[in-house]
Amino acid sequence: CLRSSVGVSDFLPVSWERIGGLEDVKLKLKQSIEWPMKFPEALVRMGVRGPRGVLLYGPPGCAKTTLVKAAASASHCSFLTLSGAQLYSPYVGDSERTLAQLFRQARACSPSIVFLDEIDSMVGSRGDGGCRSGVQAQVLSVLLNELDGVGFKTTERRGSSKTMQTEGEEQETIQEKRMELQEVCNKDVMIVAATNRPDALDSALLRPGRLDHIIYVPPPEQQARLAILQLHTEKMPLDSDVNLKDLATQTHLFSGADLESLCKEAALLALQEEGMSVSTVQHQHFLKALQRVSPSLTAHQLLQY
Ligand code: ATP
């Protein structure tokens, strides 16, 4: 498979167990990504189809990217990733080409997962007050075509209207052809997108057959925070006075990323205060770290989800 600056991504495999909490979300992702990729015949036997695309939404730093990596690792498939920032280019036509190239690569490497991070910034926002640049409109159009399977060969679609047909029949043929193309072209390419701003997305992206499996990735509640703290202190020599349950209680509005930073900060404080020969991280180091690492989430921000 080709490797380029945008596209197939090398990352250390992530196991589902490395993600604290989020049990419901993990199950939904196993059902909608891992099972269709790993056991397609079983799904066909049961008469169910895997989704074409999945949208993960929720506050920043709460494991959306890590979840997709875990799904890709468990599915043993290629993982291609692109973020809104990577897609931006000042040159006319560049962004659309990059996106089309990514999908071509995904088909060449299939079975594959294409992960579009910050999809809202790729396609712009809609509605009152929303704005979409010309480039974003083009990117949206390429993306919709790819989701429909027509990014592959538009000529095949045109061929469908050669015979004389009534308008209704023609519409039906186009619809059938679209479904066929979806089956043929995108069979083993799953599209997963993530956003912190689901309200900004164009409803066209969320129609059936597109990103129609929509999954909320919530901030960690107390039990999940405890699980995350346990994971991120697993390799630390913790003093017996460290009370992770107490820390989980004190970290309301901390994202998973904030909790990871808190653990790192506590370890660095232990080194700073006790010297390089220190052998344990104590509870007081975590309490001091709490004064340096603030929660990145706000109650107001969470109301939008
Ligand atoms: P963004 O919206 O900013 O892209 P995100 O939701 O994709 O963020 P990630 O990039 O997956 O979040 O997570 C950021 C970091 O936080 C990762 O390094 C991950 O290890 C840690 N993290 C977040 N949530 C969890 C969790 N539930 N369990 C373990 N680690 C977590």
Side-chain angles (χ1 to χ4, degrees):
C1 224
L2 287 173
R3 272 158 209 270
S4 62
S5 58
V6 166
V8 179
S9 158
D10 289 315
F11 66 94
L12 288 175
V14 178
S15 74
W16 292 113
E17 290 72 41
R18 302 304 308 163
I19 301 171
L22 297 172
E23 298 309 325
D24 289 353
V25 175
K26 286 189 229 174
L27 178 62
K28 282 185 192 159
L29 285 175
K30 283 178 193 174
Q31 290 173 338
S32 54
I33 302 180
E34 186 182 336
W35 294 359
M37 287 276 175
K38 263 167 89 173
F39 316 111
E41 339 58 50
L43 268 82
V44 170
R45 199 180 333 113
M46 291 295 120
V48 281
R49 286 169 64 132
R52 173 82 189 94
V54 174
L55 176 72
L56 297 181
Y57 74 96
C62 292
K64 294 184 292 303
T65 307
T66 314
L67 284 160
V68 185
K69 287 182 177 172
S73 307
S75 310
H76 308 294
C77 61
S78 312
F79 182 67
L80 296 92
T81 179
L82 185 66
S83 71
Q86 281 174 303
L87 189 60
Y88 174 77
S89 165
Y91 301 105
V92 178
D94 246 18
S95 305
E96 300 93 294
R97 263 195 298 278
T98 303
L99 191 60
Q101 185 203 341
L102 182 81
F103 280 99
R104 266 200 304 279
Q105 222 179 327
R107 283 189 285 269
C109 297
S110 70
S112 54
I113 292 176
V114 171
F115 177 48
L116 305 173
D117 201 5
E118 306 159 19
I119 191 170
D120 49 289
S121 67
M122 288 182 189
V123 297
S125 55
R126 66 178 164 91
D128 299 343
C131 63
R132 174 174 296 133
S133 68
V135 175
Q136 286 171 327
Q138 289 298 320
V139 167
L140 176 64
S141 157
V142 171
L143 191 53
L144 293 178
N145 279 345
E146 291 293 349
L147 279 161
D148 291 347
V150 296
F152 185 46
K153 268 190 186 175
T154 37
T155 46
E156 286 190 35
R157 187 173 168 212
R158 274 189 227 115
S160 68
S161 57
K162 267 184 193 159
T163 50
M164 291 287 283
Q165 290 174 314
T166 65
E167 206 176 311
E169 281 169 344
E170 194 175 342
Q171 280 306 321
E172 239 173 70
T173 317
I174 289 173
Q175 183 61 24
E176 276 168 22
K177 206 75 193 163
R178 203 181 115 182
M179 304 283 276
E180 262 172 47
L181 279 166
Q182 275 193 355
E183 293 281 323
V184 175
C185 311
N186 298 318
K187 213 166 144 226
D188 295 322
V189 178
M190 171 84 69
I191 301 172
V192 186
T195 182
N196 302 322
R197 301 187 49 216
D199 53 308
L201 287 184
D202 199 300
S203 54
L205 274 170
L206 311 178
R207 289 210 189 112
R210 292 177 178 165
L211 300 176
D212 56 358
H213 265 52
I214 302 173
I215 302 174
Y216 177 48
V217 183
E221 31 59 62
Q222 193 172 329
Q223 229 12 62
R225 292 199 296 273
L226 175 59
I228 298 170
L229 287 167
Q230 283 165 339
L231 282 168
H232 288 290
T233 53
E234 210 175 55
K235 293 193 175 142
M236 284 182 192
L238 294 185
D239 192 279
S240 56
D241 77 338
V242 173
N243 184 342
L244 293 182
K245 269 192 191 155
D246 171 54
L247 294 170
T249 316
Q250 292 195 50
T251 44
H252 179 55
L253 294 176
F254 275 60
S255 67
D258 299 334
L259 293 168
E260 188 179 2
S261 302
L262 180 76
C263 295
K264 279 189 189 151
E265 188 63 33
L268 292 176
L269 271 167
L271 288 167
Q272 182 191 324
E273 291 189 352
E274 321 294 333
M276 291 300 148
S277 57
V278 67
S279 57
T280 57
V281 187
Q282 297 161 14
H283 197 69
Q284 52 136 341
H285 299 127
F286 281 94
L287 295 180
K288 284 183 186 153
L290 270 177
Q291 288 163 17
R292 297 192 180 185
V293 180
S294 318
S296 60
L297 309 175
T298 64
H300 176 72
Q301 173 194 25
L302 295 181
L303 284 178
Q304 68 169 301
Y305 298 110

